[in-house]
Amino acid sequence: MSRDPDRPDFGLKPLALSLAARPVSTLAEGLAILPATAALWGFTATPAQARLARKPAAEWQALLPTLHLLEARLFSPEVDFRWLGGQGVVLSDGGAGGERVAGPGPDWYTRERWCRLWGEHLEGKGSWYEQRIPDPIVYQGLPADPEHRNPFVVLREYVRGGVVEHVRFLTVEGSER
C-alpha cells in the first residue's frame, strides 16, 4: 500500500473482521439492539435543532422516542445505529447479530479517517456550537480546553475494489489530528 496521502489507497489495511448489518424497521427495534451499559455518541436532528452528545444507552433509549426525529445516529467503537426516513440499520464488526456485508478476504480493505467538526466553544455554556443553515448544531460533552479546539468524528471505511462501500462511526475525539 502507498504511504502517499494524495493516493486513494492511503492507509488501507486488509479487513480483519466481518462487518454485519442488521436492518430495523422501527426505532424501538434499533434502540433495543444497543449495548445496555455503553455510553454512546449520538447525533440527532429534529425540525428545530441538531445536537451531538454523549449519553448512556439508557438515556438515548428514553430520549429518542420523544423527539420528532429527522435523523439519528448513535455510535461507539462496538456499534453504529443509523435512523433516517423511518428506516434504520445497525452496523457492527465481528459479524454477530446481522447479515455479513463485508468480510476478510482479498477484496476487502479498511481504514480509519477523521472528519473535523467545525464550530467554536461557547464560554459558560459547556458546549460547542456550529452555525448550520437553517439551524445550528450544538455539541455537548466535548473538551473545552484550548488544546482541544477541533473535535473530530473518527470513522472506519470499508473499501472493496477501490470504492468505499460502508462507513461506520466509531467515536468523537477532541484533540487535533
Side-chain angles (χ1 to χ4, degrees), residues 32-93:
I33 295 170
L34 298 175
T37 59
L40 304 169
W41 281 100
F43 171 77
T44 58
T46 68
Q49 66 183 356
R51 292 200 177 274
L52 177 71
R54 184 177 168 104
K55 300 176 185 288
E59 286 186 35
W60 287 118
Q61 290 165 337
L63 175 65
L64 264 55
T66 68
L67 301 175
H68 181 68
L69 286 174
L70 300 174
E71 176 182 359
R73 187 164 197 156
L74 305 179
F75 56 95
S76 72
E78 295 76 36
V79 66
D80 182 344
F81 169 50
R82 293 182 237 165
W83 183 257
L84 179 64
Q87 295 183 334
V89 66
V90 178
L91 297 171
S92 61
D93 287 337

Side-chain angles (χ1 to χ4, degrees), residues 38-172:
L40 304 169
W41 281 100
F43 171 77
T44 58
T46 68
Q49 66 183 356
R51 292 200 177 274
L52 177 71
R54 184 177 168 104
K55 300 176 185 288
E59 286 186 35
W60 287 118
Q61 290 165 337
L63 175 65
L64 264 55
T66 68
L67 301 175
H68 181 68
L69 286 174
L70 300 174
E71 176 182 359
R73 187 164 197 156
L74 305 179
F75 56 95
S76 72
E78 295 76 36
V79 66
D80 182 344
F81 169 50
R82 293 182 237 165
W83 183 257
L84 179 64
Q87 295 183 334
V89 66
V90 178
L91 297 171
S92 61
D93 287 337
E99 178 185 340
R100 187 181 123 172
V101 294
D107 298 341
W108 284 101
Y109 294 88
T110 186
R111 71 176 149 217
E112 288 191 7
R113 300 276 232 193
W114 297 266
C115 293
R116 181 186 310 270
L117 299 173
W118 296 98
E120 62 183 314
H121 184 257
L122 296 177
E123 293 299 325
K125 299 275 187 183
S127 61
W128 287 71
Y129 176 88
E130 177 180 334
Q131 183 59 48
R132 185 180 86 157
I133 299 171
D135 299 307
I137 298 175
V138 177
Y139 308 140
Q140 296 172 318
L142 298 176
D145 76 65
E147 292 181 30
H148 297 93
R149 292 200 126 125
N150 299 42
F152 289 80
V153 172
V154 180
L155 55 96
R156 182 172 296 139
E157 297 177 331
Y158 299 84
V159 180
R160 181 170 59 173
V163 176
V164 176
E165 293 202 13
H166 303 282
V167 175
R168 191 164 78 75
F169 286 15
L170 303 174
T171 190
V172 175

